[in-house]
Amino acid sequence: MTSEHALRQAQRLHLAGEAAAAEAAYRALLDDDAVGVAACHWLGFLLLQQERLADAYALLSRAVASDGSHAEWHFNLGLASARLHRGGEAIAAMRTAIALDPSRYCYWTHLGALLTQAGQEGEAERALRQAVSLDPQCPDAYYLLRDALLPQQRYAEARRSNAQGVLAEPPGKMTPIAVAQACCELGRWDQARAMAESWLAQQPDHPVALHMLAAFGQGDAPASCSNAYVGQAFDAAAAGFDQALARLRYHGPQWVADCLARLAIAPASRTVLDLGCGTGLIGAVLRPYARRLDGVDLSEGMLEHARAKQLFDNLHQADMLDHLRLGPRGYDLISCLDTLPYLGALDPLFDLCAASLNPGGLLLFCTEMLEDDQSDYRLHHSGRYRHHPGYLDRLLAGRWRVLARERLPVRDEAGCPVMGEFVCALRDAAEG
């Protein structure tokens, strides 16, 4: 058997997943004058696949030192270097691979990712745009480009790049809503509406499809999300809700904790109502301050998770406006975090909260901020409402004294901060 034939046999074992036999075959060829350098590379690559990184790095370095003419060898050395946190060496290896073969999409994406990690976002952007030009139907480069744009705070471009990645995914990989929202981000409103209309043709009167069709610009937006939409959407999201908000870097619980700490409220001193309590993320922050903690939510799925946490004295499945009209009053604190984005018109809520609070009671809430037009509120293609700061000014005038009002990111969308307002307002006794 010739040494070339022996190398091909070792590679066949490698491809067949017979790692131990392939390793032995490669090692037997390391000192061969004809194929020893190639065997050194392929053994290094095999060990890289097994995460035997130090040995892989040594073998791959030895191979490219002996023969630096193979782009793939430099690429694999770059992978080993990156996994060993040798960032500079990894970047250099990827650059060499690209110099030898600039046509390989994956070389450019890996270089772009490494440059982003190294804080060289401008160079990363150039590499990733080259990757996109090589394969505009592959999503990875779009997502990596988003990651390079985010540290530069080029959020509009980052959202567009993320949307392009979503649309480049294989059919069925992303949810129809995510695809339609990506179309909206790219200005393809007709496509988004057509998707919602197709959904409705298959499931007439489906509450989520009806709501998203309005969010995608079909007709006049409703004054608030329907109860059917909120209940169904949150029942579906309940199981992974806490984890999802952690990924989205939801700031509500931390803001409430910081706000109440600054106010120096005594432990177990307040009668508290948590509107839109969900799974109890805010309830966990409120509990130490509450002698009684009530929670209200439309979603039975959310309430099941809240019950399991044993934070609340009372939990009610109800529309929060109905609960405020018909339920108990005399609260010292009402929390309404990440709930107002499901209401457009807020006047009824503020009136009812004022009536439900004792004079001197506190209202804590947040909104997503509407900045690009002068309407009081607008239904965004995310399916959530955004509210203009001037609208909040009018709602808070008169019966409320603002103790804190901060503009902060509420959460992230596609890695981009969604700016909002967090407010703590005191029910003025003079307006009681």
Side-chain angles (χ1 to χ4, degrees):
M1 180 188 299
T2 65
S3 54
E4 288 82 2
H5 181 61
L7 179 61
R8 287 195 295 273
Q9 179 62 28
Q11 290 171 321
R12 281 193 289 269
L13 292 168
H14 188 167
L15 286 170
E18 299 182 37
E23 180 176 346
Y26 286 139
R27 289 192 183 280
L29 295 170
L30 289 178
D31 295 325
D32 187 279
D33 290 339
V35 299
V37 175
C40 182
H41 164 262
W42 290 112
L43 176 58
F45 180 55
L46 174 65
L47 300 186
L48 176 63
Q49 290 175 314
Q50 298 175 336
E51 295 294 321
R52 295 159 64 182
L53 298 179
D55 291 341
Y57 173 81
L59 287 161
L60 293 166
S61 297
R62 175 178 151 191
V64 299
S66 298
D67 182 354
S69 65
H70 301 278
E72 185 176 13
W73 295 14
H74 289 278
F75 175 71
N76 289 332
L77 176 59
L79 294 179
S81 301
R83 293 181 197 176
L84 287 167
H85 307 292
R86 297 172 176 261
E89 292 181 37
I91 289 170
M94 294 298 174
R95 289 191 191 281
T96 303
I98 287 170
L100 290 166
D101 183 0
S103 69
R104 296 290 297 274
Y105 169 89
C106 63
Y107 295 177
W108 290 100
T109 55
H110 278 81
L111 176 61
L114 288 166
L115 289 167
T116 298
Q117 291 170 16
Q120 301 176 49
E121 293 90 0
E123 288 190 65
E125 180 183 348
R126 288 189 287 275
L128 294 164
R129 292 196 186 281
Q130 179 62 27
V132 167
S133 72
L134 288 170
D135 189 353
Q137 300 307 313
C138 194
D140 294 350
Y142 294 112
Y143 297 139
L144 291 167
L145 178 57
R146 172 202 62 197
D147 294 342
L149 294 167
L150 287 173
Q152 303 176 63
Q153 299 186 12
R154 292 162 60 186
Y155 296 128
E157 293 172 80
R159 287 193 298 270
R160 287 181 60 82
S161 189
N162 183 78
Q164 289 171 305
V166 170
L167 296 184
E169 293 282 6
K173 172 75 178 296
M174 308 300 288
T175 66
I177 288 178
V179 174
Q181 288 170 332
C183 288
C184 293
E185 195 66 58
L186 297 172
R188 304 176 190 175
W189 295 92
D190 288 344
Q191 284 181 254
R193 287 190 286 269
M195 293 181 70
E197 287 166 348
S198 175
W199 185 356
L200 282 168
Q202 298 172 51
Q203 296 178 274
D205 300 322
H206 192 289
V208 177
L210 286 168
H211 179 75
M212 297 314 298
L213 182 58
F216 300 154
Q218 181 70 42
D220 295 331
S224 66
C225 298
S226 71
N227 288 353
Y229 164 73
V230 173
Q232 186 157 336
F234 280 91
D235 282 349
F241 187 73
D242 290 5
Q243 295 82 357
L245 285 189
R247 289 193 301 273
L248 295 174
R249 299 197 301 171
Y250 170 47
H251 289 90
Q254 187 60 57
W255 182 83
V256 171
D258 293 344
C259 180
L260 295 180
R262 288 195 299 268
L263 293 172
I265 295 174
S269 64
R270 302 293 175 105
T271 302
V272 180
L273 175 61
D274 188 4
L275 291 173
C277 64
T279 61
L281 287 173
I282 300 298
V285 181
L286 297 171
R287 181 69 263 182
Y289 300 95
R291 63 175 178 268
R292 189 182 90 226
L293 177 58
D294 298 341
V296 179
D297 204 280
L298 268 171
S299 166
E300 177 57 30
M302 291 287 186
L303 291 171
E304 286 180 13
H305 288 271
R307 288 189 195 97
K309 294 179 181 178
Q310 299 184 331
L311 296 166
F312 294 88
D313 298 291
N314 303 287
L315 284 169
H316 306 274
Q317 184 181 9
D319 174 272
M320 61 183 178
L321 297 182
D322 289 343
H323 184 81
L324 288 169
R325 290 187 190 99
L326 304 173
R329 296 193 173 188
Y331 287 103
D332 303 308
L333 189 156
I334 295 177
S335 169
C336 199
L337 270 290
D338 205 40
T339 302
L340 302 194
Y342 297 94
L343 298 174
L346 300 180
D347 307 68
L349 175 73
F350 275 69
D351 290 342
L352 289 166
C353 284
S356 297
L357 279 167
N358 292 321
L362 298 175
L363 174 64
L364 277 65
F365 67 91
C366 69
T367 61
E368 293 182 7
M369 194 182 305
L370 178 60
E371 300 178 276
D372 53 358
D373 71 36
Q374 293 303 307
S375 303
D376 287 347
Y377 58 87
R378 189 182 71 209
L379 179 58
H380 188 262
H381 62 256
S382 64
R384 293 156 63 95
Y385 290 88
R386 295 185 174 181
H387 296 90
H388 196 278
Y391 184 36
L392 296 189
D393 292 341
R394 296 197 303 276
L395 291 167
L396 292 165
R399 65 174 63 142
W400 302 98
R401 179 156 58 92
V402 176
L403 303 182
R405 184 172 178 177
E406 301 177 76
R407 294 187 176 184
L408 298 167
V410 177
R411 60 190 178 92
D412 288 352
E413 284 179 1
C416 303
V418 176
M419 291 304 296
E421 294 196 80
F422 288 82
V423 179
C424 173
L426 182 143
R427 174 73 167 93
D428 198 330
E431 292 289 326

